Amino acid sequence: MVKICCIGAGYVGGPTMAVIALKCPDIEVVVVDISKPRIEAWNSDTLPIYEPGLDDVVKQCRGKNLFFSTDVEKHVAEADIIFVSVNTPTKTRGLGAGKAADLTYWESAARMIADVSKSDKIVVEKSTVPVKTAEAIEKILTHNSKGINYQILSNPEFLAEGTAIEDLFKPDRVLIGGRETPEGRKAVQALKDVYAHWVPEDRILTTNLWSAELSKLAANAFLAQRISSVNAISALCEATGANVSEVAYAVGKDTRIGPKFLNASVGFGGSCFQKDILNLVYICECNGLPEVANYWKQVIKINDYQKSRFVNRVVSSMFNTVAGKKIAVLGFAFKKDTGDTRETPAIDVCKGLLGDKAQISIYDPQVTEDQIQRDLAMNKFDWDHPMHLQPTSPTAVKQVSCVWDAYEATKGAHGLCILTEWDEFKTLDYQKIFDNMQNLQELDSRKEEELVDHSLL
Ligand code: UDX
Ligand code: ADP
């Protein structure tokens, strides 16, 4: 029986391994993590992440060929294939701070693999890493290899949160990069055999290591670029009276462009887009390509502009100040169908409003008050350092309240911001909400109402 061990039981490692276990009953899959609470949650009825369909997959195989454990070393030592799916945050200090990926967690995982291994291993990069990481990992692993053969593969994950299970069941493609040597090709084939249990052969692409690593960064940069493009157009639409949804629809009808990923929004969020583009920018700079670096930097600049533009619109439409006014925020997660708040635009929007001394009342169906307070107290780039638990800020506690109902959040509010496109927000009784909000005519006689909405709705 082939044994797989995945280091890192997060948003990528957990669902990916659960689907591998489901589709490959002949393979034993153990997901390990240094975080005891995370592993306990994976072994409980309340999984640590919310993802449609995930509970069902985990229930079907947990205890049969899918296991979650904190005994990292034991399971790494026993495995044939080791997936590494640990955090790769943006560096907060030192060389490349604010752009380069911090490989601390990756490096410590690689050192541990080298320490405990007693048999040949295939080590798979699952978490997004900068191009050429495999080379560094290879050096760490083979430095004192005790005659053990390590093959490094790059197998970037393309799943999107909220649709992870669907994406894993029917991936557009599976990408496997490896060394172009006989041993490298054998390792690629071994991983291909795993995916071939359910993915059609023509969807499994094999490339060299560097192409696989770079493809992941490039794919995310292209996707984010589409959003920044449509968001830039949304600013022009607002200035001219064009409707961005109509423009996006018309543009997307061109089969060369296509209709997907053209929803104007308050900005993209999530753990990948910004981090991966910053990474790409850094790699370009390191390779003497400042023009290319600046090109991609612009995608992030427009995203930041879109978030601050949103805050400015809210403030300017309320007599240029929201001080002491109640603003209801519906949705805090970075997209619907997830409780994940990493890099969510809601953080920047709320911080912007708090900066102007607003009182904020937040409702999100999947995000806890604790998480929201932590996010609002955290510094930029600290969110992906798991050991970094900041105390909640007393200021944030005072000005922010979290409630478990959209009607409660909007009661007595002067303005309403919908920041996540949760389906349940589409069917709210907005007349009822409006009737229970402050009478804004008193605030601004030029406008009947001030309902700030999100164009994704
Ligand atoms: C992304 C990639 O899609 C996925 O392939 C990769 O593996 C990880 O990064 P994810 O961040 O989970 O996935 O979600 P995604 O659906 O891409 O959305 C990212 C952000 O873009 C969200 O904040 C979403 O609201 C926003 N978005 C998406 C838009 O603003 N407009 C759109 O049209 C689509
Ligand atoms: P992603 O979204 O890429 O899955 P997450 O932050 O959700 O990222 O998950 C990464 C996981 O990796 C965390 O649960 C963290 O505790 C775990 N982790 C980090 N370093 C190690 C390590 N050396 N050994 C085991 N687990 C680790």
Side-chain angles (χ1 to χ4, degrees):
M1 193 180 202
V2 174
K3 286 192 175 181
I4 287 180
C5 175
C6 174
I7 308 177
Y11 285 90
V12 172
T16 312
M17 292 306 122
V19 168
I20 290 182
L22 182 77
K23 299 290 185 182
C24 313
D26 55 328
I27 295 178
E28 182 190 279
V29 182
V30 185
V31 191
V32 296
D33 202 295
I34 41 176
S35 162
K36 204 164 165 260
R38 218 168 213 195
I39 291 299
E40 278 168 1
W42 279 109
N43 281 320
S44 76
D45 285 338
T46 315
L47 301 184
I49 62 177
Y50 171 71
E51 191 61 60
L54 177 64
D55 279 33
D56 193 41
V57 174
V58 170
K59 266 190 203 127
Q60 284 188 60
C61 11
R62 195 173 54 193
K64 289 183 191 143
N65 65 331
L66 174 66
F67 305 91
F68 296 92
S69 167
T70 47
D71 200 344
V72 181
E73 299 187 356
K74 171 178 181 278
H75 295 289
V76 165
E78 289 174 358
D80 306 295
I81 303 176
I82 302 164
F83 285 86
V84 184
S85 191
V86 301
N87 337 46
T88 45
T90 305
K91 277 182 87 169
T92 48
R93 59 184 75 159
L95 195 67
K99 273 184 275 187
D102 178 349
L103 291 177
T104 314
Y105 304 103
W106 235 109
E107 197 181 321
S108 88
R111 289 194 193 286
M112 182 269 300
I113 296 172
D115 280 349
V116 305
S117 293
K118 293 188 184 65
S119 56
D120 292 353
K121 307 282 180 211
I122 295 174
V123 178
V124 186
E125 292 175 353
K126 199 61 175 160
S127 41
T128 310
V129 289
V131 185
K132 299 270 177 178
T133 297
E135 206 163 69
I137 301 306
E138 220 164 40
K139 277 194 191 129
I140 295 172
L141 290 172
T142 50
H143 175 64
N144 184 11
S145 74
K146 305 169 271 183
I148 293 169
N149 185 290
Y150 294 102
Q151 281 303 319
I152 322 289
L153 301 179
S154 166
N155 172 221
E157 186 46 65
F158 293 103
L159 67 80
E161 286 175 35
T163 53
I165 299 301
E166 229 173 280
D167 295 343
L168 287 162
F169 279 178
K170 284 188 170 191
D172 285 346
R173 80 304 210 182
V174 166
L175 180 58
I176 305 174
R179 285 272 182 212
E180 289 155 310
T181 58
E183 298 80 26
R185 276 192 271 274
K186 214 172 126 200
V188 168
Q189 188 58 46
L191 189 55
K192 229 179 141 178
D193 291 344
V194 172
Y195 286 106
H197 280 74
W198 79 99
V199 181
E201 175 112 28
D202 60 351
R203 291 201 176 200
I204 307 179
L205 317 181
T206 57
T207 63
N208 74 32
L209 269 174
W210 325 129
S211 303
E213 286 181 344
L214 184 58
S215 299
K216 170 69 183 187
L217 295 183
N220 276 346
F222 272 57
L223 289 168
Q225 183 208 43
R226 271 175 85 92
I227 302 167
S228 279
S229 297
V230 77
N231 283 344
I233 295 293
S234 79
L236 189 58
C237 288
E238 285 162 30
T240 56
N243 178 330
V244 71
S245 305
E246 290 175 357
V247 174
Y249 183 75
V251 170
K253 274 289 175 191
D254 186 323
T255 49
R256 291 169 303 175
I257 296 172
K260 292 183 184 166
F261 251 68
L262 282 179
N263 283 318
S265 62
V266 69
F268 58 73
S271 69
C272 289
F273 284 172
Q274 167 157 311
K275 191 171 76 176
D276 289 358
I277 294 176
L278 286 172
N279 216 320
L280 192 63
V281 166
Y282 184 67
I283 294 168
C284 293
E285 285 171 353
C286 291
N287 282 283
L289 301 168
E291 290 82 1
V292 185
N294 285 336
Y295 175 76
W296 289 110
K297 231 185 254 174
Q298 204 55 32
V299 172
I300 292 182
K301 282 194 184 160
I302 287 287
N303 200 46
D304 288 338
Y305 165 72
Q306 188 76 347
K307 290 183 275 189
S308 59
R309 207 167 69 76
F310 186 87
V311 174
N312 291 345
R313 275 193 80 193
V314 175
V315 176
S316 70
S317 64
M318 298 175 91
F319 288 138
N320 271 331
T321 178
V322 285
K325 292 171 190 161
K326 176 176 172 180
I327 308 289
V329 167
L330 297 189
F332 198 83
F334 83 97
K335 64 185 283 198
K336 73 170 179 177
D337 291 338
T338 178
D340 193 354
T341 59
R342 294 179 294 177
E343 293 287 335
T344 176
I347 294 176
D348 294 283
V349 170
C350 289
K351 280 187 174 174
L353 295 170
L354 288 171
D356 205 57
K357 299 197 164 45
Q359 297 287 332
I360 306 185
S361 181
I362 306 174
Y363 165 65
D364 186 289
Q366 284 297 332
V367 185
T368 62
E369 174 157 17
D370 243 28
Q371 184 63 48
I372 290 173
Q373 294 287 11
R374 250 201 318 274
D375 287 339
L376 293 177
M378 215 177 273
N379 294 324
K380 208 169 164 61
F381 300 130
D382 277 345
W383 55 272
D384 206 11
H385 291 263
M387 318 313 165
H388 188 105
L389 265 186
Q390 294 220 343
T392 44
S393 139
T395 329
V397 174
K398 229 171 52 188
Q399 281 175 262
V400 175
S401 64
C402 300
V403 293
W404 279 105
D405 174 61
Y407 296 104
E408 186 59 36
T410 50
K411 204 150 98 196
H414 298 88
L416 163 58
C417 304
I418 301 177
L419 300 182
T420 314
E421 77 283 23
W422 283 101
D423 287 339
E424 67 174 67
F425 297 160
K426 292 181 186 162
T427 51
L428 290 172
D429 181 348
Y430 283 98
Q431 187 58 50
K432 179 175 154 191
I433 286 179
F434 181 72
D435 292 344
N436 286 322
M437 285 173 71
Q438 292 275 339
N439 183 346
L440 285 150
Q441 256 176 338
E442 285 167 17
L443 265 180
D444 184 348
S445 53
R446 285 164 300 155
K447 290 181 184 169
E448 288 252 324
E449 68 180 82
E450 203 50 70
L451 200 69
V452 184
D453 83 335
H454 184 302
S455 46
L456 279 172
L457 271 184

